[in-house]
Amino acid sequence: MDLLLSVGLPLAIAFIMFALGTGLTGADFVRVAQAPRAFAVGLLAQVVVLPLVAFALLTIFPTDPALAVGVMILAACPGGTTSNILTRLAGGTVALSVSLTAIVSLLSVITVPLIVVWALGYFEGSALTEVTVLGLGLQMFAITTVPVLLGMALRLFAPGAAGRAEPWLVRAATVLFALIVIAALAANWSVFIGSMPDLGAVLIGLLIVMLPLGFLLARAAGLTGGEAKAISIECGIQNGTLGIAVGALVSGAVIGPYSLPSGVYGVLMYLVTVPVILLIARRL
């Protein structure tokens, strides 16, 4: 079972990132230059504000050190692949959502290792000093960036095949995400139950704070309501699968405490955001 998960988890995240890549084109990156202020605000909210809010919540709700590292791993991850769909349902600017998902996912090869290595030192001292920014970045490059680029290459050179395959790839990626979340919860059930009061408060707090804060930051910067909705959802819907995989890479365990916050958040984020988004869509 451990062998299956140790091989299957990296393959699953690679497949999910490949599915993301098949939905991207060069226009998604060019679009950033057409709306630089909106992208800059979204990037700031995701890469800087979100980890700072997570750290603040961890100081308010003291959490087991390993789980605290897992929360910071989650906060460092890019937006989830379903954020684009939810943005469309909420009447947000889908183009901005797609651009943020694409570029922040590529930047995560740099940003995630930096935050993770800092979190390990802060919360657990020298317990895992062998984890380096370069080493973790290279591992993430192999399971995230390369599959995204391969998916984009398929979209570029075989657009018809990519267009037909994309809906099925997205469905398969969603099923894989659900299975990985279930595995993370099952593997850490006793830890999950014991830490739920503090961990649950931090994760729910992260959602409650970041969803409106992302919207308010965008509006304060003079962005449209649609752009503000896109940024809000990007700040709330995290790539939990990547968080689980990074936790496994850091700990050397298949699915351990470092992965647990991402697994729990993978459930909570939909329980909180989807009803709100459906209500917004209904009103629209």
Side-chain angles (χ1 to χ4, degrees):
M1 183 66 175
D2 284 349
L3 178 62
L4 176 63
L5 286 173
S6 63
V7 175
L9 184 59
L11 289 177
I13 186 64
F15 178 84
I16 290 170
M17 298 308 288
F18 175 77
L20 170 64
T22 60
L24 300 177
T25 66
D28 297 319
F29 298 90
V30 173
R31 196 178 293 117
V32 172
Q34 298 171 342
R37 184 171 56 173
F39 178 79
V41 172
L43 185 66
L44 176 69
Q46 277 193 275
V47 176
V48 178
V49 177
L50 179 55
L52 287 176
V53 169
F55 178 71
L57 289 170
L58 288 170
T59 62
I60 297 171
F61 303 100
T63 308
D64 175 83
L67 294 177
V69 172
V71 171
M72 293 308 300
I73 289 174
L74 168 71
C77 286
T81 54
T82 54
S83 61
N84 310 145
I85 299 170
L86 295 176
T87 297
R88 182 179 290 110
L89 286 174
T93 306
V94 179
L96 175 60
S97 176
V98 172
S99 298
L100 283 168
T101 300
I103 294 182
V104 176
S105 293
L106 295 179
L107 288 177
S108 66
V109 175
I110 300 170
T111 58
V112 171
L114 286 172
I115 292 175
V116 170
V117 170
W118 170 83
L120 286 169
Y122 184 87
F123 292 106
E124 295 208 297
S126 58
L128 286 170
T129 53
E130 68 274 12
V131 177
T132 65
V133 173
L134 178 61
L136 183 56
L138 290 174
Q139 289 176 300
M140 286 188 60
F141 181 82
I143 65 172
T144 60
T145 306
V146 171
V148 167
L149 294 177
L150 289 174
M152 291 183 67
L154 177 64
R155 180 67 175 256
L156 176 64
F157 295 109
R164 291 189 297 272
E166 185 186 356
W168 298 99
L169 290 172
V170 170
R171 292 189 188 100
T174 303
V175 172
L176 279 175
F177 168 75
L179 291 175
I180 291 170
V181 167
I182 292 170
L185 292 174
N188 299 275
W189 187 251
S190 60
V191 178
F192 167 62
I193 295 298
S195 62
M196 193 55 196
D198 291 330
L199 181 60
V202 171
L203 296 179
I204 293 174
L206 197 60
L207 273 166
I208 292 174
V209 171
M210 286 310 303
L211 284 170
L213 184 57
F215 186 91
L216 292 173
L217 285 173
R219 294 298 281 168
L223 302 183
T224 67
E227 291 169 330
K229 289 176 187 177
I231 291 171
S232 171
I233 292 170
E234 285 293 320
C235 290
I237 301 297
Q238 294 297 97
N239 192 331
T241 314
L242 179 59
I244 293 171
V246 171
L249 291 174
V250 170
S251 66
V254 177
I255 299 180
Y258 291 153
S259 300
L260 181 59
S262 293
V264 176
Y265 192 84
V267 177
L268 288 177
M269 66 183 183
Y270 292 114
L271 292 179
V272 173
T273 58
V274 170
V276 174
I277 290 167
L278 291 177
L279 179 61
I280 293 171
R282 188 174 180 180
R283 291 182 65 182
L284 290 173

